[in-house]
């Protein structure tokens, strides 16, 4: 059995899109800067590697983007780039022969934090019923599966120890 990687996508702190990302890797660009997503006044650390200049609505339907957490928007944007790079037209492909692998260190800590805040301030009955799907890491691959209409392997590399090789092996076994 053979697996062919036909397309790649990237949404990273040093560039959105594989070409931009790779050019910045070659230039040894660092993606670290001042944290902009929350107030860091009371924190010792004020820098992070945030993705810059990303708008989910540029890569998917505005309503769909509004319903999903930012890390899932990143995954969908990268998966769409990979599908375009591969020249995949899901109207012509067997959806059971197409899959996606997403690398994400963690799901939505923002969703988890908002849930805890809701519990503390308004009680458990006010917590978003979709909090678990919003915060689990494998939703990134799951949402791309829905958005791009592929039916085969979806996998999220959610640990540093989980290698690309291990994921590709899983794809081969499942095909």
């Amino acid at each position: 059995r053979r697996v062919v990687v036909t397309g790649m996508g990237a949404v990273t702190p040093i560039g959105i899109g594989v070409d931009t990302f790779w050019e910045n890797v070659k230039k040894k660009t660092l993606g670290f800067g001042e944290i902009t997503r929350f107030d860091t006044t009371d924190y010792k650390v004020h820098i992070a590697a945030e993705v810059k200049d990303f708008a989910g609505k540029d890569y998917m339907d505005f309503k769909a983007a509004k319903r999903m957490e930012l890390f899932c928007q990143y995954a969908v944007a990268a998966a769409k780039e990979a599908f375009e790079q591969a020249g995949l037209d899901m109207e012509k492909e067997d959806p059971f022969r197409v899959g996606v692998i997403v690398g994400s260190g963690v799901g939505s800590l923002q969703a988890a934090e908002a849930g805890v805040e809701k519990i503390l301030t308004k009680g458990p009955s006010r917590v978003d019923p979709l909090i678990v799907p919003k915060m689990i890491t494998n939703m990134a691959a799951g949402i791309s599966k829905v958005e791009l209409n592929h039916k085969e392997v979806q996998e999220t590399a959610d640990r540093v120890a989980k290698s690309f090789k291990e994921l590709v092996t899983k794809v081969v076994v499942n095909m």
Side-chain angles (χ1 to χ4, degrees):
R1 294 186 192 197
R2 294 179 184 213
V3 171
V4 179
V5 176
T6 56
M8 297 182 296
V11 177
T12 78
I14 62 169
I16 298 172
V18 172
D19 293 338
T20 303
F21 167 73
W22 186 242
E23 285 304 313
N24 285 326
V25 166
K26 291 190 295 188
K27 290 185 219 171
K28 300 179 182 173
T29 302
L30 296 177
F32 288 91
E34 289 290 320
I35 294 173
T36 61
R37 298 204 193 281
F38 60 90
D39 182 10
T40 62
T41 303
D42 296 331
Y43 293 88
K44 289 181 181 178
V45 176
H46 300 274
I47 62 168
E50 296 177 329
V51 173
K52 299 158 211 56
D53 304 320
F54 179 87
K57 65 181 175 50
D58 294 342
Y59 302 92
M60 65 205 74
D61 176 68
F62 174 77
K63 284 184 180 179
K66 195 171 165 95
R67 284 191 307 268
M68 66 180 84
E69 292 296 301
L70 193 54
F71 82 103
C72 288
Q73 292 178 32
Y74 295 161
V76 169
K80 282 188 174 185
E81 179 185 17
F83 272 53
E84 288 170 16
Q85 194 181 79
L88 286 174
D89 177 356
M90 289 309 293
E91 297 291 322
K92 297 175 184 172
E93 298 295 333
D94 176 356
F96 292 97
R97 303 277 301 158
V98 178
V100 65
I101 298 171
V102 175
S104 180
V106 67
S108 178
L109 293 178
Q110 295 86 348
E113 182 181 11
V116 169
E117 181 68 24
K118 264 306 166 119
I119 288 171
L120 295 175
T121 59
K122 298 187 178 185
S125 65
R126 301 299 302 229
V127 173
D128 181 353
L130 298 175
I131 189 167
V132 172
K134 284 184 173 181
M135 60 186 242
I136 58 176
T137 309
N138 61 351
M139 284 306 291
I143 287 176
S144 78
K145 188 174 188 173
V146 171
E147 288 283 317
L148 298 169
N149 192 33
H150 62 86
K151 310 284 187 218
E152 193 43 64
V153 175
Q154 69 183 46
E155 185 67 37
T156 303
D158 56 3
R159 300 183 317 269
V160 174
K162 192 175 234 184
S163 69
F164 181 73
K165 181 179 176 184
E166 180 183 341
L167 292 172
V168 170
T169 301
K170 187 170 186 171
V171 171
V172 171
V173 168
N174 285 306
M175 289 188 94

